[in-house]
Amino acid sequence: MSAPSSVASPLDPAALRERIGELEAIARHLEPGPEGREALRSPVVGHSEEFYARLDEALAYRVTEDKGAGLLEVPIPEEGIGIDRALEVIAEHVDRPGLNPASGGHMAYVPGGGVFASSLGDYLADVGNHYSGVFYATPGAVRLENLLVRWMAELVGYPESALGTLASGGSIANLTGIVAARDAKEVRSREVERSPVYMTRQVHHCVTKAMRLAGLGEAPIRAVPLDDRYRMRADELARLVAVDRKAGLRPWMVVASSGTTDTGAIDPVEEIADVAEAEGLWLHVDAAYGGFFLLTELGRGLIRGLERSDSVVMDPHKGLFLPYGTGALVVKDGELLARSQHYEASYLQDALGSTEEISPADLSPELTRHFRGLRMWMPLVLHGLAPFRAALEEKIQLCRYFYEEVGKIPGMERGPYPELSVALYRYVPRAGDANEFNARLIREVQRDGRVFLSSTTIDGVFWLRLAVLCFRTHRRHVDLALEILREKIGKLEG
Ligand SMILES: *Cc1c(COP(=O)(O)O)cnc(C)c1O
């Protein structure tokens, strides 16, 4: 099937036509017909059904010897390897080793699961290859995406002025939000060293990374003290801002978390907003983990005041259970986001004035991008909101249930009562160092693999975490986690 290497003469029309014909014949392999597509699609569907069939019994975490390195023995070939072989390689080297984020037993970090309906959205987005970057190219795709942003803006309680963007995840969404804040507050390079920002030590590391990426690496970062539940103290924020003002500095932004990753703590956004408003600070809320709990009555009682923030990040690939690849930023005064993503005011005026819908390319660093709106829209319209609300409240209740039950294990110490769906706990051994014991305990649990839990260290204390957010996690999984903890503690205590 390899092509002749040269043409007799580029000016020989007959030879040129012949060469083009040869190339086309080979290139056409990229376009299978209906039967060819079926021959590829049906094994893929079979593979995914097998994956689902095994999911319930599959490990949440699997340690393998080669950690997928066998993949390197399948180099990118000159001619295709066939779908069966490709799926074999995926099953062996991608599906098997490491974490299984689709598993209900995944209760570490911040899980989500990955709803099936999203895969259909991705499929159609890829088949149509819709251009979601600019309105005039695919107006429907842009409308769909903006509709999702407006839906999130309403959830947060923002007015109609809000605009936003679907990003690849919370990290890029936070970066885009911080850049908008920087530009709105006119923090120029030469002023960065004198322009402090405020956050707690519990802020997600992507926020401090975003500061660096945004050219703000030299801005003083003030660690606002925490209360006994790891939440930002608004009175301390006010005090730190006053100290900085007195020193002639230029405070400009505070970052609050609506659900920290470590402990699920919810910073008091209302009190923080009082300070931010009085001091003219941009209030950015990282609700990547907790934001979608607003879909539940319970969550709305817990997460208050987001409507008073200037920008908010939420991660549909966490709280909406989408497969990885979707975060979101919403900015209350959307024009500030649009301005920050433009170089020329005249172009902005045009984009805002002459089209019915603003384009994602005008609101983010990306131009050409995956049509990620479809993977979010599909599950929402196919299932409706009711099962999302139920699943989210179930996660909060499961975490509370765990917190009660884990307290019944003799020797177990617990962190603060969980605010959302993350619980902290650790075992205090009869003898020896507790930190060291819990480090061994988590290794035992991970090696077992039936559930996957993680740990964190706060103020020198090694805590174990349980984070319930995968939509597939139900009481059975939490009970299994409790059973495994009892079993491994027994083993380690001898
Ligand atoms: C997960 C998370 C992030 C980072 O989001 P990614 O989607 O992983 O990039 C940021 N902040 C919080 C609070 C998070 O939980």
Side-chain angles (χ1 to χ4, degrees), residues 110 168-172 174 204 206-207 257-261 286-290 313 315 317-318 326-327:
V110 180
S168 55
S171 300
I172 298 298
N174 272 308
H204 193 277
C206 79
V207 170
S257 308
S258 281
T260 60
T261 312
D286 180 4
Y289 156 54
V313 163
D315 253 358
H317 65 202
K318 288 176 179 168
T326 311

Side-chain angles (χ1 to χ4, degrees), residues 70-93:
L71 212 110
L72 308 180
E73 282 151 31
V74 189
I76 302 300
E78 191 53 33
E79 300 190 6
I81 61 173
I83 187 66
D84 293 334
R85 178 74 186 121
L87 291 174
E88 228 174 75
V89 170
I90 293 170
E92 183 59 21
H93 302 301

Side-chain angles (χ1 to χ4, degrees), residues 342-363:
H342 276 89
Y343 290 118
E344 295 171 22
S346 53
Y347 176 41
L348 165 68
Q349 187 184 333
D350 189 38
L352 282 176
S354 72
T355 64
E356 290 163 74
E357 290 277 343
I358 189 157
S359 299
D362 296 327
L363 299 169

